[in-house]
Amino acid sequence: MPENFPAYLISKTDNGQITELKDITLDELMDGDVTVKVEYSTLNYKDGLALTGRAPVVRRFPLVPGIDFAGSVVSSEHPGFKQGDKVVLNGFGVGEVHSGGYAGMARVKGDWLVALPNGFTPRQAMAVGTAGYTAMLCVLALEQHGLTPDSGDILVTGAAGGVGSVAVSLLSRLGYQVTGSSGRASQREYLIGLGAQEVIDRSEFNGKVKPLAKERWAAAIDVAGGNTLANVLSQINYGGAVAACGLAESMDLPTSVAPFILRGVTLYGIDSVMASIEKRQLAWNRLARDLDLAQLEAMTVELPFSDLPAAAEEILAGNVRGRTLVKIPS
Ligand code: NDP
């Protein structure tokens, strides 16, 4: 096991938090019964918030950010894992209140780990990352609602982002007619390449929210919240559903009860952080079955570890397309 390894470390000062790239030791990690050599991590929207301090994502200091990682177990006191096992971790407060993936080594609870699903390398699992696994949780919620490809058109908001790109790709592979909503006209060809039938401008969802608007979508996956989600809810067909997972536009939801009580619309809240291990395994197994790995590669950019702070600014500015992968140096 290496004595020193590179890590981003966020500390609290009188002037707020600071993020440094430095060498740390295992003693600087938090308690846990499994130690993992981290091979890959990713940049998710929440990582952008954590690295920049733009929102109080990090709530314990000093802390290694990075809400997800994939790697190999180097030592384990947990009955479910042994040295050499390949594992994936998403959420459970990692990168928020427990040191996470932006370090050569991580020490975590074995109860938080999922065995790397067959068919994925650690690199591919992190190309999926929290964003892709959350997209799958959204798809599972809509399927449980009874949605099938015959139900009608499906809308994905924030389509060119991480959750959105994986959602478009998954839904189209499953046979759905998908419309992507994006603020970036330049990403139209990219989204058509992932399987979107149509790409619309996200400004369509910026206007004043009507209690009910013309029925347009059998279901939607929403990453934006705010006015976008409120307008989407007003346009859902009778008996349809929305899986809401994000707040890229806003935490607010300026809607009325009309879509729920007059059209029987269902709003599913999707949380990836504290999802049960059973739900995670199901999501990862479905990703292994349903995600087109060539499309996954096409939507993924690999960054050097040292570029993470700059990339954090870019993801918050809405300039990052698809998924961002980071190889963690040892
Ligand atoms: P990305 O930054 O990769 O994608 C977000 C996308 O949202 C952007 O690319 C953009 O898409 C769109 N967007 C940005 N600003 C606005 C705006 N003002 N109005 C409407 N759309 C906007 O982030 P992720 O895909 O990683 O995450 C998406 C959201 O989901 C985030 O809010 C994140 O915190 C949340 N999330 C929640 C999880 C959970 O467990 N509930 C897990 C993972 C993510 P475009 O350019 O196409 O318009």
Side-chain angles (χ1 to χ4, degrees), residues 99-316:
S99 278
Y102 294 164
M105 307 288 282
R107 196 193 289 123
V108 296
K109 283 193 182 176
D111 289 350
W112 299 340
L113 293 168
V114 171
L116 186 75
N118 282 339
F120 280 126
T121 62
R123 185 179 183 281
Q124 288 165 331
M126 280 301 102
V128 173
T130 298
Y133 140 76
T134 302
M136 191 74 233
L137 291 179
C138 292
V139 171
L140 289 171
L142 296 180
E143 284 181 350
Q144 262 184 338
H145 184 77
L147 191 77
T148 69
D150 295 333
S151 305
D153 292 352
I154 313 298
L155 175 71
V156 174
T157 66
V163 174
S165 295
V166 178
V168 168
S169 174
L170 276 173
L171 287 167
S172 100
R173 186 123 193 261
L174 290 166
Y176 291 90
Q177 301 280 321
V178 189
T179 295
S181 155
S182 176
R184 290 179 276 178
S186 58
Q187 300 307 329
R188 184 184 167 78
E189 289 311 311
Y190 163 77
L191 290 168
I192 300 284
L194 293 183
Q197 301 286 315
E198 207 185 328
V199 179
I200 58 176
D201 194 292
R202 75 180 188 213
S203 61
E204 288 199 26
F205 304 100
N206 286 352
K208 188 169 162 22
V209 182
K210 290 186 193 154
L212 294 176
K214 186 169 179 297
E215 291 175 65
R216 204 168 165 194
W217 317 107
I221 292 179
D222 177 64
V223 308
N227 247 46
T228 299
L229 176 54
N231 274 310
V232 169
L233 283 165
S234 303
Q235 296 178 9
I236 297 292
N237 297 351
Y238 192 93
V242 178
C245 70
L247 41 60
E249 177 187 325
S250 171
M251 189 91 145
D252 293 338
L253 182 52
T255 186
S256 74
V257 296
F260 310 111
I261 65 171
L262 298 176
R263 287 199 182 143
V265 169
T266 304
L267 177 58
Y268 291 98
I270 305 301
D271 169 56
S272 67
V273 177
M274 299 308 292
S276 67
I277 287 289
E278 292 71 32
K279 205 179 233 188
R280 286 162 195 266
Q281 277 160 344
L282 174 63
W284 279 105
N285 288 339
R286 283 290 305 272
L287 282 158
R289 191 191 86 180
D290 297 331
L291 188 61
D292 180 326
L293 293 179
Q295 285 196 350
L296 178 66
E297 188 61 34
M299 69 175 83
T300 302
V301 169
E302 187 170 328
L303 285 185
F305 194 48
S306 56
D307 282 8
L308 271 170
E313 296 290 348
E314 291 297 310
I315 200 166
L316 296 187

